[in-house]
């Protein structure tokens, strides 16, 4: 999951983000490996107390997606060459 569904910082707009978060938490509890990416998404699961119920939390949103796509990340490639 990459990116909150709305302005989760304002309670009246947080329902979509909470619903996605709850679905990810439920899938994780059922045995799935869950990965969330992006600083805002990480902040949301922290705010709603679900961080410990997610398999992996990354603050690298776009970079996380590119890594999962199999793309070479420039910073990782530079470190790997040394």
């Amino acid at each position: 999951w990459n990116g909150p569904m709305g302005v989760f910082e304002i309670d009246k707009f947080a329902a979509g983000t909470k619903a996605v978060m709850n679905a990810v938490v439920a899938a994780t509890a059922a045995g799935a490996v869950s990965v969330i990416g992006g600083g805002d998404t990480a902040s949301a699961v922290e705010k709603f107390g679900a961080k410990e119920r997610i398999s992996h939390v990354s603050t690298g949103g776009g970079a996380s997606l590119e890594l999962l796509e199999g793309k070479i990340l420039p910073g990782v490639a530079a470190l790997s060459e040394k």
Side-chain angles (χ1 to χ4, degrees), residues 37-65:
D40 287 337
T41 313
S43 293
V45 296
E46 179 76 31
K47 175 180 178 174
F48 300 127
K51 185 173 127 183
E52 300 303 321
R53 296 180 285 160
I54 305 287
S55 303
H56 180 75
V57 178
S58 171
T59 57
S64 293
L65 291 176

Side-chain angles (χ1 to χ4, degrees), residues 3-80:
M5 302 298 106
V7 187
F8 70 90
E9 298 90 345
I10 300 172
D11 289 338
K12 68 181 180 176
F13 298 116
T17 297
K18 284 182 181 179
V20 171
M21 180 195 69
N22 289 335
V24 172
V25 166
T28 307
V33 174
S34 56
V35 178
I36 67 162
D40 287 337
T41 313
S43 293
V45 296
E46 179 76 31
K47 175 180 178 174
F48 300 127
K51 185 173 127 183
E52 300 303 321
R53 296 180 285 160
I54 305 287
S55 303
H56 180 75
V57 178
S58 171
T59 57
S64 293
L65 291 176
E66 289 185 6
L67 181 66
L68 291 171
E69 290 174 17
K71 292 184 179 177
I72 296 172
L73 303 180
V76 174
L79 292 171
S80 298

